[in-house]
Amino acid sequence: MTQTLRLAITTAMLWACAGMECDETDSVQAPFFPAPIACGCADEAAATIDADISDAEAALAEDIWRALNDHRSALGLRELNWYAPAADVARGHSDAMLRRGFFDHVDPCTCLDQSARAATAGIQHDFENLYSPESNTPFVGEVIYRATRIDDLDGDHIVNVWAESPEHRVHVEAPLEFPGFYQLPSWTHVGIGVRIEGDDTYVTAMFFKNPTTGA
């Protein structure tokens, strides 16, 4: 499958369902179907992530992971394993959003969505069994979060914001079914990347079923 075709399929499907965003500065909206975005940076090279993760960024990412597993455990759902390669990819996306001032699952400079970014870490997306809980092949989902000037931001707050939105809750509590819309598979792994600069915090959480192995 060509990159152009793969991106077109992913954009059409994931805008509709799997990729959800959460912005603390705006009210959470129902699923929507925006026009395809024009991507590509004519005069700007793709951002190169700062390799140095601050103590605050590392601590918040770990706290979000802890809060996700606490939330899932309380519902009798399996806890998610940490997947370091995905955390690097997630942090790269959070960094790109912060540096270039966008808030989206598709990077307008690189034109990559979450499944394409996951592939850079060796994680493949199962296009043949989209949203099928029965599929054992690799599957990728994502939620993002942005906050400005929130004191004492922690993992519980961020996970609660996601869980209170039906569109985000299906990721946090997968394989919870969102009635009449879709059902995601049961995740096995998560990678969380945080970027903090001044008053701004960006979070990308990438969820996976059977990354790389398909077992």
mmCIF file of all heavy atoms in Angstrom, residues 48-83:
data_model
loop_
_atom_site.group_PDB
_atom_site.id
_atom_site.type_symbol
_atom_site.label_atom_id
_atom_site.label_comp_id
_atom_site.label_asym_id
_atom_site.label_seq_id
_atom_site.Cartn_x
_atom_site.Cartn_y
_atom_site.Cartn_z
ATOM 1 N N THR A 48 13.021 18.990 14.924
ATOM 2 C CA THR A 48 13.852 17.960 15.526
ATOM 3 C C THR A 48 13.658 18.026 17.025
ATOM 4 O O THR A 48 13.920 19.054 17.649
ATOM 5 C CB THR A 48 15.338 18.174 15.181
ATOM 6 O OG1 THR A 48 15.492 18.135 13.768
ATOM 7 C CG2 THR A 48 16.193 17.079 15.816
ATOM 8 N N ILE A 49 13.212 16.928 17.600
ATOM 9 C CA ILE A 49 12.854 16.945 19.016
ATOM 10 C C ILE A 49 14.098 17.102 19.881
ATOM 11 O O ILE A 49 15.167 16.575 19.578
ATOM 12 C CB ILE A 49 12.100 15.665 19.400
ATOM 13 C CG1 ILE A 49 11.569 15.763 20.832
ATOM 14 C CG2 ILE A 49 12.962 14.422 19.235
ATOM 15 C CD1 ILE A 49 10.646 14.634 21.216
ATOM 16 N N ASP A 50 13.946 17.843 20.934
ATOM 17 C CA ASP A 50 14.978 17.959 21.958
ATOM 18 C C ASP A 50 15.034 16.627 22.707
ATOM 19 O O ASP A 50 14.053 16.170 23.272
ATOM 20 C CB ASP A 50 14.621 19.102 22.911
ATOM 21 C CG ASP A 50 15.686 19.329 23.980
ATOM 22 O OD1 ASP A 50 16.619 18.504 24.085
ATOM 23 O OD2 ASP A 50 15.582 20.328 24.696
ATOM 24 N N ALA A 51 16.184 15.984 22.693
ATOM 25 C CA ALA A 51 16.313 14.662 23.290
ATOM 26 C C ALA A 51 16.254 14.699 24.810
ATOM 27 O O ALA A 51 16.041 13.666 25.449
ATOM 28 C CB ALA A 51 17.612 14.002 22.839
ATOM 29 N N ASP A 52 16.473 15.851 25.396
ATOM 30 C CA ASP A 52 16.516 15.946 26.850
ATOM 31 C C ASP A 52 15.099 16.056 27.418
ATOM 32 O O ASP A 52 14.411 17.055 27.226
ATOM 33 C CB ASP A 52 17.336 17.166 27.281
ATOM 34 C CG ASP A 52 18.798 17.025 26.904
ATOM 35 O OD1 ASP A 52 19.285 15.885 26.882
ATOM 36 O OD2 ASP A 52 19.447 18.053 26.629
ATOM 37 N N ILE A 53 14.674 15.016 28.105
ATOM 38 C CA ILE A 53 13.372 15.010 28.755
ATOM 39 C C ILE A 53 13.544 15.590 30.153
ATOM 40 O O ILE A 53 14.375 15.116 30.936
ATOM 41 C CB ILE A 53 12.808 13.585 28.852
ATOM 42 C CG1 ILE A 53 12.698 12.964 27.460
ATOM 43 C CG2 ILE A 53 11.448 13.593 29.546
ATOM 44 C CD1 ILE A 53 12.264 11.512 27.473
ATOM 45 N N SER A 54 12.755 16.604 30.468
ATOM 46 C CA SER A 54 12.871 17.209 31.785
ATOM 47 C C SER A 54 12.295 16.279 32.844
ATOM 48 O O SER A 54 11.508 15.376 32.553
ATOM 49 C CB SER A 54 12.146 18.554 31.825
ATOM 50 O OG SER A 54 10.736 18.364 31.799
ATOM 51 N N ASP A 55 12.692 16.520 34.083
ATOM 52 C CA ASP A 55 12.149 15.723 35.189
ATOM 53 C C ASP A 55 10.635 15.863 35.267
ATOM 54 O O ASP A 55 9.916 14.889 35.537
ATOM 55 C CB ASP A 55 12.786 16.156 36.511
ATOM 56 C CG ASP A 55 14.251 15.777 36.610
ATOM 57 O OD1 ASP A 55 14.707 14.918 35.822
ATOM 58 O OD2 ASP A 55 14.946 16.347 37.475
ATOM 59 N N ALA A 56 10.127 17.082 35.019
ATOM 60 C CA ALA A 56 8.685 17.314 35.094
ATOM 61 C C ALA A 56 7.952 16.552 33.996
ATOM 62 O O ALA A 56 6.871 15.989 34.229
ATOM 63 C CB ALA A 56 8.388 18.811 34.993
ATOM 64 N N GLU A 57 8.516 16.519 32.785
ATOM 65 C CA GLU A 57 7.886 15.789 31.678
ATOM 66 C C GLU A 57 7.870 14.292 31.947
ATOM 67 O O GLU A 57 6.853 13.620 31.733
ATOM 68 C CB GLU A 57 8.631 16.095 30.380
ATOM 69 C CG GLU A 57 8.436 17.522 29.890
ATOM 70 C CD GLU A 57 9.377 17.899 28.774
ATOM 71 O OE1 GLU A 57 10.399 17.196 28.567
ATOM 72 O OE2 GLU A 57 9.114 18.914 28.093
ATOM 73 N N ALA A 58 8.998 13.766 32.407
ATOM 74 C CA ALA A 58 9.074 12.331 32.704
ATOM 75 C C ALA A 58 8.123 11.949 33.826
ATOM 76 O O ALA A 58 7.445 10.909 33.764
ATOM 77 C CB ALA A 58 10.507 11.953 33.066
ATOM 78 N N ALA A 59 8.043 12.793 34.845
ATOM 79 C CA ALA A 59 7.180 12.496 35.983
ATOM 80 C C ALA A 59 5.707 12.522 35.583
ATOM 81 O O ALA A 59 4.917 11.665 36.019
ATOM 82 C CB ALA A 59 7.444 13.483 37.120
ATOM 83 N N LEU A 60 5.319 13.494 34.754
ATOM 84 C CA LEU A 60 3.914 13.578 34.351
ATOM 85 C C LEU A 60 3.545 12.403 33.450
ATOM 86 O O LEU A 60 2.455 11.826 33.595
ATOM 87 C CB LEU A 60 3.633 14.907 33.642
ATOM 88 C CG LEU A 60 2.181 15.143 33.215
ATOM 89 C CD1 LEU A 60 1.222 15.011 34.397
ATOM 90 C CD2 LEU A 60 2.023 16.517 32.551
ATOM 91 N N ALA A 61 4.419 12.019 32.526
ATOM 92 C CA ALA A 61 4.137 10.867 31.668
ATOM 93 C C ALA A 61 3.937 9.607 32.508
ATOM 94 O O ALA A 61 2.997 8.834 32.281
ATOM 95 C CB ALA A 61 5.272 10.663 30.670
ATOM 96 N N GLU A 62 4.801 9.401 33.487
ATOM 97 C CA GLU A 62 4.678 8.231 34.351
ATOM 98 C C GLU A 62 3.402 8.294 35.182
ATOM 99 O O GLU A 62 2.733 7.271 35.401
ATOM 100 C CB GLU A 62 5.894 8.118 35.263
ATOM 101 C CG GLU A 62 5.880 6.867 36.135
ATOM 102 C CD GLU A 62 7.172 6.673 36.912
ATOM 103 O OE1 GLU A 62 8.139 7.431 36.683
ATOM 104 O OE2 GLU A 62 7.204 5.758 37.756
ATOM 105 N N ASP A 63 3.025 9.499 35.618
ATOM 106 C CA ASP A 63 1.822 9.644 36.431
ATOM 107 C C ASP A 63 0.567 9.404 35.600
ATOM 108 O O ASP A 63 -0.423 8.851 36.103
ATOM 109 C CB ASP A 63 1.783 11.032 37.067
ATOM 110 C CG ASP A 63 0.811 11.105 38.236
ATOM 111 O OD1 ASP A 63 0.831 10.176 39.079
ATOM 112 O OD2 ASP A 63 0.030 12.073 38.299
ATOM 113 N N ILE A 64 0.583 9.800 34.339
ATOM 114 C CA ILE A 64 -0.561 9.520 33.455
ATOM 115 C C ILE A 64 -0.694 8.019 33.248
ATOM 116 O O ILE A 64 -1.798 7.469 33.275
ATOM 117 C CB ILE A 64 -0.402 10.247 32.105
ATOM 118 C CG1 ILE A 64 -0.430 11.762 32.305
ATOM 119 C CG2 ILE A 64 -1.499 9.828 31.127
ATOM 120 C CD1 ILE A 64 -0.003 12.548 31.083
ATOM 121 N N TRP A 65 0.439 7.334 33.050
ATOM 122 C CA TRP A 65 0.426 5.873 32.910
ATOM 123 C C TRP A 65 -0.167 5.223 34.156
ATOM 124 O O TRP A 65 -1.027 4.350 34.084
ATOM 125 C CB TRP A 65 1.841 5.388 32.654
ATOM 126 C CG TRP A 65 2.018 3.907 32.521
ATOM 127 C CD1 TRP A 65 1.151 3.021 31.913
ATOM 128 C CD2 TRP A 65 3.117 3.129 32.994
ATOM 129 N NE1 TRP A 65 1.669 1.745 31.976
ATOM 130 C CE2 TRP A 65 2.874 1.776 32.635
ATOM 131 C CE3 TRP A 65 4.287 3.448 33.682
ATOM 132 C CZ2 TRP A 65 3.768 0.752 32.946
ATOM 133 C CZ3 TRP A 65 5.178 2.428 33.982
ATOM 134 C CH2 TRP A 65 4.912 1.093 33.623
ATOM 135 N N ARG A 66 0.277 5.677 35.332
ATOM 136 C CA ARG A 66 -0.252 5.159 36.585
ATOM 137 C C ARG A 66 -1.752 5.403 36.691
ATOM 138 O O ARG A 66 -2.522 4.499 37.042
ATOM 139 C CB ARG A 66 0.495 5.826 37.750
ATOM 140 C CG ARG A 66 0.196 5.293 39.134
ATOM 141 C CD ARG A 66 -0.928 6.012 39.836
ATOM 142 N NE ARG A 66 -0.831 7.449 39.722
ATOM 143 C CZ ARG A 66 -1.872 8.260 39.856
ATOM 144 N NH1 ARG A 66 -3.080 7.790 40.103
ATOM 145 N NH2 ARG A 66 -1.717 9.577 39.738
ATOM 146 N N ALA A 67 -2.195 6.615 36.335
ATOM 147 C CA ALA A 67 -3.616 6.955 36.425
ATOM 148 C C ALA A 67 -4.449 6.139 35.443
ATOM 149 O O ALA A 67 -5.577 5.723 35.768
ATOM 150 C CB ALA A 67 -3.809 8.449 36.188
ATOM 151 N N LEU A 68 -3.927 5.919 34.236
ATOM 152 C CA LEU A 68 -4.631 5.082 33.269
ATOM 153 C C LEU A 68 -4.841 3.678 33.818
ATOM 154 O O LEU A 68 -5.944 3.117 33.739
ATOM 155 C CB LEU A 68 -3.837 5.005 31.963
ATOM 156 C CG LEU A 68 -4.013 6.141 30.958
ATOM 157 C CD1 LEU A 68 -2.967 6.014 29.846
ATOM 158 C CD2 LEU A 68 -5.412 6.133 30.361
ATOM 159 N N ASN A 69 -3.788 3.097 34.381
ATOM 160 C CA ASN A 69 -3.903 1.740 34.894
ATOM 161 C C ASN A 69 -4.781 1.669 36.142
ATOM 162 O O ASN A 69 -5.516 0.697 36.333
ATOM 163 C CB ASN A 69 -2.519 1.162 35.160
ATOM 164 C CG ASN A 69 -1.864 0.667 33.879
ATOM 165 O OD1 ASN A 69 -2.546 0.331 32.918
ATOM 166 N ND2 ASN A 69 -0.541 0.625 33.873
ATOM 167 N N ASP A 70 -4.736 2.700 36.973
ATOM 168 C CA ASP A 70 -5.645 2.740 38.118
ATOM 169 C C ASP A 70 -7.093 2.772 37.649
ATOM 170 O O ASP A 70 -7.961 2.071 38.193
ATOM 171 C CB ASP A 70 -5.360 3.971 38.985
ATOM 172 C CG ASP A 70 -4.100 3.825 39.826
ATOM 173 O OD1 ASP A 70 -3.522 2.722 39.863
ATOM 174 O OD2 ASP A 70 -3.687 4.837 40.441
ATOM 175 N N HIS A 71 -7.360 3.596 36.647
ATOM 176 C CA HIS A 71 -8.713 3.729 36.109
ATOM 177 C C HIS A 71 -9.175 2.410 35.508
ATOM 178 O O HIS A 71 -10.305 1.958 35.758
ATOM 179 C CB HIS A 71 -8.733 4.836 35.047
ATOM 180 C CG HIS A 71 -10.086 5.125 34.489
ATOM 181 N ND1 HIS A 71 -10.959 6.026 35.050
ATOM 182 C CD2 HIS A 71 -10.730 4.597 33.412
ATOM 183 C CE1 HIS A 71 -12.077 6.066 34.347
ATOM 184 N NE2 HIS A 71 -11.963 5.202 33.344
ATOM 185 N N ARG A 72 -8.311 1.774 34.729
ATOM 186 C CA ARG A 72 -8.681 0.519 34.083
ATOM 187 C C ARG A 72 -8.836 -0.612 35.104
ATOM 188 O O ARG A 72 -9.768 -1.414 35.004
ATOM 189 C CB ARG A 72 -7.640 0.156 33.016
ATOM 190 C CG ARG A 72 -7.674 1.099 31.801
ATOM 191 C CD ARG A 72 -6.565 0.756 30.805
ATOM 192 N NE ARG A 72 -6.701 -0.598 30.293
ATOM 193 C CZ ARG A 72 -7.476 -0.946 29.267
ATOM 194 N NH1 ARG A 72 -8.189 -0.020 28.630
ATOM 195 N NH2 ARG A 72 -7.531 -2.198 28.861
ATOM 196 N N SER A 73 -7.939 -0.664 36.078
ATOM 197 C CA SER A 73 -8.013 -1.725 37.087
ATOM 198 C C SER A 73 -9.312 -1.648 37.879
ATOM 199 O O SER A 73 -9.914 -2.677 38.225
ATOM 200 C CB SER A 73 -6.823 -1.631 38.033
ATOM 201 O OG SER A 73 -5.618 -1.927 37.367
ATOM 202 N N ALA A 74 -9.753 -0.427 38.169
ATOM 203 C CA ALA A 74 -10.991 -0.254 38.924
ATOM 204 C C ALA A 74 -12.196 -0.779 38.155
ATOM 205 O O ALA A 74 -13.235 -1.096 38.763
ATOM 206 C CB ALA A 74 -11.194 1.229 39.265
ATOM 207 N N LEU A 75 -12.079 -0.892 36.834
ATOM 208 C CA LEU A 75 -13.165 -1.393 35.992
ATOM 209 C C LEU A 75 -12.965 -2.850 35.617
ATOM 210 O O LEU A 75 -13.728 -3.404 34.810
ATOM 211 C CB LEU A 75 -13.269 -0.540 34.727
ATOM 212 C CG LEU A 75 -13.597 0.932 34.935
ATOM 213 C CD1 LEU A 75 -13.484 1.694 33.621
ATOM 214 C CD2 LEU A 75 -14.986 1.100 35.526
ATOM 215 N N GLY A 76 -11.917 -3.477 36.160
ATOM 216 C CA GLY A 76 -11.649 -4.873 35.843
ATOM 217 C C GLY A 76 -10.988 -5.077 34.499
ATOM 218 O O GLY A 76 -10.999 -6.195 33.954
ATOM 219 N N LEU A 77 -10.389 -4.025 33.940
ATOM 220 C CA LEU A 77 -9.716 -4.106 32.646
ATOM 221 C C LEU A 77 -8.225 -4.362 32.845
ATOM 222 O O LEU A 77 -7.652 -4.000 33.878
ATOM 223 C CB LEU A 77 -9.917 -2.808 31.860
ATOM 224 C CG LEU A 77 -11.369 -2.457 31.528
ATOM 225 C CD1 LEU A 77 -11.451 -1.040 30.978
ATOM 226 C CD2 LEU A 77 -11.950 -3.452 30.533
ATOM 227 N N ARG A 78 -7.584 -4.940 31.864
ATOM 228 C CA ARG A 78 -6.164 -5.245 31.955
ATOM 229 C C ARG A 78 -5.353 -3.957 32.027
ATOM 230 O O ARG A 78 -5.704 -2.942 31.404
ATOM 231 C CB ARG A 78 -5.715 -6.083 30.759
ATOM 232 C CG ARG A 78 -5.695 -5.330 29.437
ATOM 233 C CD ARG A 78 -5.387 -6.236 28.259
ATOM 234 N NE ARG A 78 -4.078 -6.845 28.378
ATOM 235 C CZ ARG A 78 -3.647 -7.821 27.572
ATOM 236 N NH1 ARG A 78 -4.443 -8.300 26.613
ATOM 237 N NH2 ARG A 78 -2.445 -8.316 27.722
ATOM 238 N N GLU A 79 -4.280 -4.000 32.784
ATOM 239 C CA GLU A 79 -3.371 -2.864 32.826
ATOM 240 C C GLU A 79 -2.527 -2.829 31.560
ATOM 241 O O GLU A 79 -2.312 -3.856 30.907
ATOM 242 C CB GLU A 79 -2.486 -2.937 34.067
ATOM 243 C CG GLU A 79 -3.255 -2.786 35.370
ATOM 244 C CD GLU A 79 -2.337 -2.640 36.576
ATOM 245 O OE1 GLU A 79 -1.103 -2.683 36.401
ATOM 246 O OE2 GLU A 79 -2.874 -2.473 37.685
ATOM 247 N N LEU A 80 -2.057 -1.649 31.218
ATOM 248 C CA LEU A 80 -1.299 -1.448 29.990
ATOM 249 C C LEU A 80 0.192 -1.445 30.284
ATOM 250 O O LEU A 80 0.656 -0.762 31.202
ATOM 251 C CB LEU A 80 -1.708 -0.129 29.334
ATOM 252 C CG LEU A 80 -3.208 0.024 29.030
ATOM 253 C CD1 LEU A 80 -3.485 1.408 28.454
ATOM 254 C CD2 LEU A 80 -3.687 -1.065 28.080
ATOM 255 N N ASN A 81 0.940 -2.195 29.484
ATOM 256 C CA ASN A 81 2.386 -2.200 29.595
ATOM 257 C C ASN A 81 2.965 -0.944 28.964
ATOM 258 O O ASN A 81 2.439 -0.438 27.967
ATOM 259 C CB ASN A 81 2.974 -3.430 28.888
ATOM 260 C CG ASN A 81 2.539 -4.722 29.532
ATOM 261 O OD1 ASN A 81 2.663 -4.895 30.741
ATOM 262 N ND2 ASN A 81 2.005 -5.638 28.733
ATOM 263 N N TRP A 82 4.042 -0.462 29.537
ATOM 264 C CA TRP A 82 4.740 0.700 28.968
ATOM 265 C C TRP A 82 5.551 0.246 27.765
ATOM 266 O O TRP A 82 6.241 -0.767 27.812
ATOM 267 C CB TRP A 82 5.659 1.309 30.015
ATOM 268 C CG TRP A 82 6.354 2.553 29.541
ATOM 269 C CD1 TRP A 82 7.624 2.646 29.048
ATOM 270 C CD2 TRP A 82 5.820 3.883 29.529
ATOM 271 N NE1 TRP A 82 7.913 3.946 28.718
ATOM 272 C CE2 TRP A 82 6.820 4.722 29.015
ATOM 273 C CE3 TRP A 82 4.594 4.422 29.920
ATOM 274 C CZ2 TRP A 82 6.640 6.102 28.868
ATOM 275 C CZ3 TRP A 82 4.401 5.796 29.770
ATOM 276 C CH2 TRP A 82 5.413 6.614 29.252
ATOM 277 N N TYR A 83 5.455 1.000 26.658
ATOM 278 C CA TYR A 83 6.193 0.666 25.447
ATOM 279 C C TYR A 83 7.094 1.847 25.095
ATOM 280 O O TYR A 83 6.643 2.861 24.572
ATOM 281 C CB TYR A 83 5.227 0.343 24.313
ATOM 282 C CG TYR A 83 5.889 -0.291 23.124
ATOM 283 C CD1 TYR A 83 6.664 -1.445 23.267
ATOM 284 C CD2 TYR A 83 5.756 0.251 21.854
ATOM 285 C CE1 TYR A 83 7.275 -2.028 22.173
ATOM 286 C CE2 TYR A 83 6.359 -0.337 20.759
ATOM 287 C CZ TYR A 83 7.124 -1.478 20.926
ATOM 288 O OH TYR A 83 7.731 -2.056 19.840
#
